[in-house]
Amino acid sequence: MSDMADETPTSTFAPGGRHRHRRTRQPSTAVRRAVVLAMAVPVASAALAGTSAFAADKDTTATAAEGATTAVQGDGVGTDDARLVANLDARVLDQRLGADVSGVVLDADSEDEIWARNATTAMMPASNAKLATATAALTVLGPDHRFTTKVVYGHGTLTLVGGGDRTLTSDDLAELAKTAVAGLEAAGLSSVKVAVDDSLFAEPSLADGWNEGYYPTEVAPVRSLVVDGRSVEDTSLDAGKVFAEQLATAGVAVDGDVIRATAHRRDVPVARHKSAPLSDVVRTMLKTSDNNIAETLLRVTAVEAGRPATFEGGTEVVRHVLSDRYGVSLENFEMYDGSGLSRADRIPAVTLAQILELLTEPRHAHTLGSVLEGLPVAGEAGATLGPEWGRFDDPNSECAVGKVRAKTGTLTGAVALSGLTRTEDGEWRVFSFIENGSTAAPNDIKNAMDGLAATVNGCWA
């Protein structure tokens, strides 16, 4: 994943949730955090649609913080935690990480903040932003939600209607075409026009912090219709052409070029395809850090919440869900896209840790379980912490292979690693580490990050 040009941030949603304060074993005015107060009543889509819930009453701006560290001290401190703190204090100063580094480690079981450094500082999170996107999508849509692609017929035209399924394949379109052809033949029709309807989403646009160089290599223009995850400028027309070719192969003549049109409500339903559950889609997105899936989920979440299917509408819902549904702190939080490609995004380490801490609470297991399952595992081939990416293969971090689950994030000038691990006693440790601006080689930065995660696990003691 590479970065492009910076753009100026705009005003953002201000946190409105309630919070209770986490115990810190050494109180510090430099670093404070609010912990989760998760309401037991699930969020209904209608509740998210109210405009009052999204009223922004102030701007949040990125702030620079001193390199203060709050850590475990005092009576009752375990030897392992004391060693962890001492090691992190030393290892966070690794020159490979640069001077602008933040982090936090939470004990999810005791509700203690074990260690923190600049934890509330606004940082560019890169793909760690996908944690916020996934949490909002699962909460608003539900883990069992399936994306529907339809074919309807009217006035001599078959219209392929996109429903935001980023996992739609050529084989899926072939099944839709087969069903459509059977219907046409039964009606005595041997030719048809083909159109695509991708009106579910607003016109593709660039998020703040993006530029046109992102299209289509880093991310395709966000449309509600795509086949085989192809990165092309117009994924909808591309899918329509594939569908038209399959119709022709099945013996139905296609009259003219594929066009873009809006299906009429009186059009006759012909065929439909449903995707795998959202929980499966989220797992795939996180394992591979798929930018296109993330941006599509942001739009569909906005639609379900009754907001415009835009970057602004989607991130508005994300803020509302994190703050009002789960009580996650949005101090110094700025989000302009769903993937973390935006160089205007700012998410403090403590916010990312609070999102991950939700995964340790049994009451959220049904809704958010696929986030935990989707986090890459240290040393897992085929995911972003796999050996093919050179992760956790350093002598200091290889001890954590199979023991750490974490989301990666990489842009030029920003590397993040946020995740969870368990102690030998089975206690959850939640962590988030972010560096911005290091001039070290990317692999060197990642090795240093992996070492911090191994330290949290306790295997690099």
Side-chain angles (χ1 to χ4, degrees), residues 157-183:
T157 301
L158 280 179
T159 303
L160 183 64
V161 184
D165 182 5
R166 251 331 274 203
T167 64
L168 188 72
T169 67
S170 296
D171 288 342
D172 298 329
L173 284 185
E175 286 299 315
L176 289 173
K178 180 180 178 181
T179 303
V181 167

Side-chain angles (χ1 to χ4, degrees), residues 6 66 151 205 210 243 248 255 291 325 333 348 367 444:
D6 292 319
E66 296 297 326
V151 179
S205 60
W210 287 17
F243 181 61
D255 183 10
N291 296 323
R325 171 66 174 93
F333 179 99
T367 301
D444 290 340

Side-chain angles (χ1 to χ4, degrees), residues 309-392:
T310 60
F311 292 111
E312 295 78 11
T315 54
E316 199 175 17
V317 178
V318 171
R319 293 182 183 97
H320 177 67
V321 169
L322 293 180
S323 180
D324 292 355
R325 171 66 174 93
Y326 295 116
V328 170
S329 171
L330 296 188
E331 181 182 358
N332 295 328
F333 179 99
E334 300 180 20
M335 187 172 176
Y336 297 94
D337 62 1
S339 62
L341 280 172
S342 174
R343 299 189 65 81
D345 287 347
R346 295 292 183 271
I347 305 181
V350 70
T351 298
L352 293 168
Q354 287 181 17
I355 293 171
L356 289 167
E357 189 180 31
L358 298 172
L359 310 183
T360 70
E361 299 186 39
R363 59 180 164 170
H364 301 312
H366 173 71
T367 301
L368 303 180
S370 56
V371 177
L372 178 60
E373 295 164 0
L375 291 175
V377 178
E380 175 188 16
T384 57
L385 285 182
E388 63 268 40
W389 297 100
R391 302 307 296 262
F392 288 87

Side-chain angles (χ1 to χ4, degrees), residues 260-316:
R260 179 175 276 103
T262 302
H264 195 279
R265 59 187 178 87
R266 292 195 182 93
D267 288 349
V268 178
V270 173
R272 70 176 185 173
H273 169 78
K274 285 188 172 292
S275 72
L278 174 61
S279 55
D280 289 354
V281 176
V282 165
R283 280 190 285 268
T284 297
M285 177 190 72
L286 294 175
K287 288 286 186 188
T288 61
S289 200
D290 191 301
N291 296 323
N292 289 302
I293 291 178
E295 297 302 344
T296 300
L297 291 186
L298 187 73
R299 302 290 181 102
V300 178
T301 301
V303 171
E304 184 69 14
R307 309 305 296 170
T310 60
F311 292 111
E312 295 78 11
T315 54
E316 199 175 17

